[in-house]
Amino acid sequence: MILRFVLGVKGGGFVLKTCIRPRVSETDAVGHINNTTLPVWFEAGREEIFHRFTPDDNFNNWKCVIINSNIEFISQIYYGKDVEIKTWVKRIGNTSFTLYEELYQENTLCAKSTAVYVNYNLDKQATEPIPEEIREWMSGHLV
Amino acid sequence: MILRFVLGVKGGGFVLKTCIRPRVSETDAVGHINNTTLPVWFEAGREEIFHRFTPDDNFNNWKCVIINSNIEFISQIYYGKDVEIKTWVKRIGNTSFTLYEELYQENTLCAKSTAVYVNYNLDKQATEPIPEEIREWMSGHLV
Amino acid sequence: MILRFVLGVKGGGFVLKTCIRPRVSETDAVGHINNTTLPVWFEAGREEIFHRFTPDDNFNNWKCVIINSNIEFISQIYYGKDVEIKTWVKRIGNTSFTLYEELYQENTLCAKSTAVYVNYNLDKQATEPIPEEIREWMSGHLV
Amino acid sequence: MILRFVLGVKGGGFVLKTCIRPRVSETDAVGHINNTTLPVWFEAGREEIFHRFTPDDNFNNWKCVIINSNIEFISQIYYGKDVEIKTWVKRIGNTSFTLYEELYQENTLCAKSTAVYVNYNLDKQATEPIPEEIREWMSGHLV
């Protein structure tokens, strides 16, 4: 079995860690993991955050809508070795928040991601303030 | 603009044709198009059929649920050259139907697909007979 | 860390088990895991077999080329719950072999896969006999 | 057949246009195109640029390596309606260049992308100056 989430400590805050095994289908013909795979992996690293906003994992109640994604590609990523995604909260706004993530393979920092999300009510098509209990939980994962 | 569907003739029936441009992200490190890309492309070739069952393209009214997929991989597929998917109806049952597809790159038959679908009402969680007008339309695309 | 492979027993043979966490990007608008995700997951379940044929995981020495894939879709697969792939060897030929896999989510058998591979030398563009030590190892994983 | 590239004019420069048909497998359970699909589509819009750097489309001679990607998500993208990617060159450096792209669906600007690439020699593991003829060609596509 996979450990769902291991909590670590960095600068006082807790980090979410996600272990990912690269797949053959995630490589490209240049020989490494294709750059379009990274948004998929970084999104996988945010699962626990999505789950806080939508505890029943029901997509009819989905809240987290991405509005900006920035990825810095630092080093090639290879098939055959596990990858670790570390996820922190960088900023907690009124209706939006920013996540900061790092991707490691064999202790090499291979990529960094910054993603901005809004807490969005898809039925009402409107943003909503981040609930207090999520805000508090997020405060414990600040970078 | 892309032509949505060009109709051809084979043995009296009409075939649906879909032109696909291979993407870098669809290759793998072995150097060709990854085998897991083919189900995506063959599914893309069935768009017109999905549209007949769900004319408003609204996923709440989605009907076509796949129950079996068989793909025969015949020849490597390369980046840099367009691919053509040809889609025929192979069998029209009461609540299910079978599609047969061929994938060509530069006049080489690279793969064949057979897929079985049921006409499924997701709300009622039950299969439903294929409507007469779809049955008639499908009859014109028999292989 | 993820346990790479846990070996179980079924009918005397050993089965390869792979635990997979469904991703948001692997769902589709119908509400479940999209059918084109399954070939990706089943391929992920074969990693140990690819590794036996190409121990250095170097794609220049890649050997396993798929020639047929059949997937039976039995039950919907949902986001939010881990999936387990069980992989067995079904047949060991001279240059080819057949794998049989089952996909479980919460003890429900959701899909079955049968895949045929050839041991292929991409440089020589020719099939090669399966080496004796791999043949022996595979014999321990027969279904 | 698909028209490979239609050249338009904006502010004196030429823009590369790519028409993309959304696939069922590119949606997610929230009901729209998943955000991780956009890097794939934007990359597809850069095909002509990759081709200028690697005219034989041979991945052993691949040159374009991405080092930064930024995507702004402005409006939901739906299945059932074609999407158009417009690609411009934003900056031409010595060894690197920046691309700017816009994604339209039914005349709505749904997303913007900025991507930075380096001209990289994978054999030598070193950046190389952008050749003069590519530099000239790019100058005609400046935003």
Side-chain angles (χ1 to χ4, degrees):
Chain A
M1 299 304 308
I2 298 178
L3 289 181
R4 246 188 120 90
F5 280 99
V6 185
L7 298 181
V9 184
K10 173 172 164 164
F14 289 89
V15 57
L16 300 171
K17 291 184 186 179
T18 307
C19 184
I20 287 176
R21 165 131 333 149
R23 299 170 181 166
V24 175
S25 54
E26 293 170 333
T27 62
D28 67 24
V30 183
H32 316 107
I33 296 300
N34 184 264
N35 70 86
T36 67
T37 300
L38 269 63
V40 174
W41 289 357
F42 280 125
E43 187 178 72
R46 299 164 200 155
E47 189 201 273
E48 177 70 9
I49 290 152
F50 301 154
H51 186 67
R52 295 276 161 168
F53 280 89
T54 310
D56 60 0
D57 292 331
N58 183 334
F59 287 101
N60 293 323
N61 307 322
W62 202 258
K63 297 294 185 188
C64 294
V65 172
I66 195 166
I67 58 170
N68 193 277
S69 159
N70 191 89
I71 298 181
E72 193 181 329
F73 302 88
I74 299 165
S75 187
Q76 296 293 358
I77 305 163
Y78 300 90
Y79 174 79
K81 295 183 174 72
D82 282 358
V83 155
E84 188 179 55
I85 307 286
K86 296 187 180 181
T87 306
W88 289 273
V89 178
K90 195 178 171 183
R91 182 190 63 86
I92 313 170
N94 180 38
T95 61
S96 73
F97 58 95
T98 304
L99 302 176
Y100 170 70
E101 292 173 293
E102 292 177 349
L103 186 160
Y104 289 86
Q105 190 175 46
E106 296 207 312
N107 299 318
T108 300
L109 176 61
C110 298
K112 295 179 189 175
S113 156
T114 306
V116 185
Y117 279 85
V118 288
N119 180 29
Y120 198 74
N121 187 314
L122 285 156
D123 279 340
K124 300 183 186 165
Q125 293 276 312
T127 57
E128 289 181 342
I130 299 171
E132 195 49 48
E133 69 271 19
I134 297 179
R135 189 179 296 276
E136 214 166 287
W137 176 78
M138 278 183 159
S139 305
H141 295 78
L142 283 168
V143 65
Chain B
M1 297 304 308
I2 298 178
L3 289 181
R4 249 187 119 88
F5 280 100
V6 185
L7 298 181
V9 184
K10 173 171 165 166
F14 289 89
V15 58
L16 301 171
K17 292 185 184 176
T18 306
C19 184
I20 287 175
R21 163 128 339 144
R23 299 169 180 165
V24 175
S25 53
E26 294 170 332
T27 63
D28 67 24
V30 182
H32 317 108
I33 297 299
N34 184 263
N35 71 85
T36 66
T37 300
L38 269 63
V40 174
W41 290 357
F42 280 125
E43 187 179 71
R46 299 164 201 154
E47 188 201 275
E48 177 70 9
I49 290 151
F50 300 153
H51 186 66
R52 295 275 162 169
F53 280 89
T54 310
D56 60 0
D57 293 331
N58 183 333
F59 288 101
N60 292 324
N61 307 322
W62 202 256
K63 297 293 183 187
C64 294
V65 172
I66 194 166
I67 58 171
N68 193 275
S69 159
N70 192 90
I71 298 181
E72 193 181 329
F73 302 88
I74 299 166
S75 187
Q76 296 293 357
I77 304 164
Y78 300 90
Y79 174 79
K81 295 183 175 73
D82 281 357
V83 156
E84 188 179 55
I85 307 286
K86 296 186 181 182
T87 305
W88 289 273
V89 178
K90 194 178 171 183
R91 183 190 62 87
I92 314 170
N94 180 37
T95 60
S96 73
F97 58 95
T98 304
L99 303 175
Y100 170 70
E101 292 174 294
E102 293 177 350
L103 186 161
Y104 289 86
Q105 192 176 45
E106 297 207 310
N107 300 318
T108 299
L109 176 62
C110 298
K112 294 178 189 176
S113 155
T114 306
V116 185
Y117 280 85
V118 288
N119 181 29
Y120 198 75
N121 187 314
L122 285 156
D123 279 340
K124 300 183 185 163
Q125 293 276 313
T127 57
E128 290 181 340
I130 299 171
E132 195 49 46
E133 68 271 19
I134 297 180
R135 188 179 296 275
E136 214 166 285
W137 176 79
M138 279 183 158
S139 305
H141 295 78
L142 283 168
V143 65
Chain C
M1 298 304 307
I2 298 178
L3 289 182
R4 247 186 119 92
F5 281 97
V6 185
L7 298 181
V9 184
K10 173 172 164 167
F14 289 91
V15 57
L16 301 171
K17 291 183 185 179
T18 307
C19 184
I20 287 176
R21 164 129 338 145
R23 299 169 181 166
V24 175
S25 54
E26 293 170 333
T27 62
D28 67 24
V30 183
H32 317 108
I33 296 300
N34 183 264
N35 71 85
T36 66
T37 300
L38 268 65
V40 174
W41 290 357
F42 281 124
E43 187 178 73
R46 299 164 200 154
E47 189 200 274
E48 178 69 10
I49 291 152
F50 301 153
H51 186 67
R52 294 276 161 168
F53 280 89
T54 310
D56 60 0
D57 293 330
N58 183 334
F59 288 101
N60 293 323
N61 307 324
W62 202 257
K63 297 292 184 188
C64 294
V65 172
I66 194 166
I67 57 170
N68 193 276
S69 159
N70 191 89
I71 298 181
E72 193 181 330
F73 302 88
I74 300 166
S75 187
Q76 296 292 358
I77 304 164
Y78 300 91
Y79 174 79
K81 294 182 174 72
D82 281 358
V83 156
E84 188 179 56
I85 307 286
K86 295 187 180 180
T87 305
W88 290 274
V89 178
K90 195 178 170 183
R91 184 189 62 87
I92 313 170
N94 181 37
T95 61
S96 73
F97 58 95
T98 304
L99 302 176
Y100 170 69
E101 291 173 294
E102 293 176 349
L103 185 161
Y104 290 86
Q105 190 176 45
E106 296 207 313
N107 300 317
T108 300
L109 176 62
C110 299
K112 295 178 189 174
S113 156
T114 306
V116 185
Y117 280 84
V118 288
N119 180 29
Y120 198 75
N121 187 313
L122 284 156
D123 279 340
K124 301 183 186 164
Q125 294 275 315
T127 56
E128 290 181 342
I130 299 171
E132 195 49 48
E133 69 272 19
I134 297 180
R135 189 179 296 276
E136 213 167 288
W137 176 79
M138 278 184 159
S139 305
H141 294 79
L142 283 168
V143 64
Chain D
M1 299 303 310
I2 298 179
L3 290 181
R4 249 186 117 91
F5 279 98
V6 185
L7 297 181
V9 184
K10 173 172 164 167
F14 289 90
V15 57
L16 302 171
K17 291 184 184 178
T18 307
C19 184
I20 286 175
R21 166 132 331 149
R23 299 169 180 166
V24 175
S25 54
E26 293 170 333
T27 63
D28 68 23
V30 183
H32 316 107
I33 296 300
N34 184 263
N35 71 83
T36 66
T37 300
L38 268 65
V40 174
W41 290 358
F42 280 124
E43 187 178 71
R46 299 165 202 154
E47 188 202 276
E48 177 70 11
I49 290 152
F50 300 154
H51 185 67
R52 295 275 161 168
F53 281 88
T54 310
D56 60 0
D57 293 330
N58 184 332
F59 288 101
N60 292 324
N61 307 323
W62 202 256
K63 297 294 184 187
C64 294
V65 173
I66 194 166
I67 58 170
N68 192 276
S69 159
N70 191 90
I71 298 181
E72 192 181 331
F73 301 88
I74 300 166
S75 187
Q76 296 293 358
I77 304 163
Y78 300 90
Y79 175 79
K81 296 183 174 72
D82 282 358
V83 155
E84 188 179 56
I85 306 286
K86 296 186 180 180
T87 305
W88 289 274
V89 178
K90 195 178 169 184
R91 184 190 62 87
I92 313 170
N94 180 37
T95 60
S96 73
F97 58 95
T98 305
L99 302 175
Y100 170 69
E101 292 173 295
E102 293 177 349
L103 185 160
Y104 289 86
Q105 192 176 44
E106 297 207 309
N107 300 317
T108 299
L109 176 61
C110 299
K112 295 178 189 176
S113 155
T114 306
V116 185
Y117 280 84
V118 288
N119 181 29
Y120 197 75
N121 188 314
L122 285 156
D123 279 340
K124 302 182 186 164
Q125 294 276 314
T127 57
E128 290 181 342
I130 299 171
E132 195 49 48
E133 67 272 19
I134 297 181
R135 188 179 297 275
E136 214 167 289
W137 176 80
M138 279 183 159
S139 305
H141 295 78
L142 283 169
V143 65

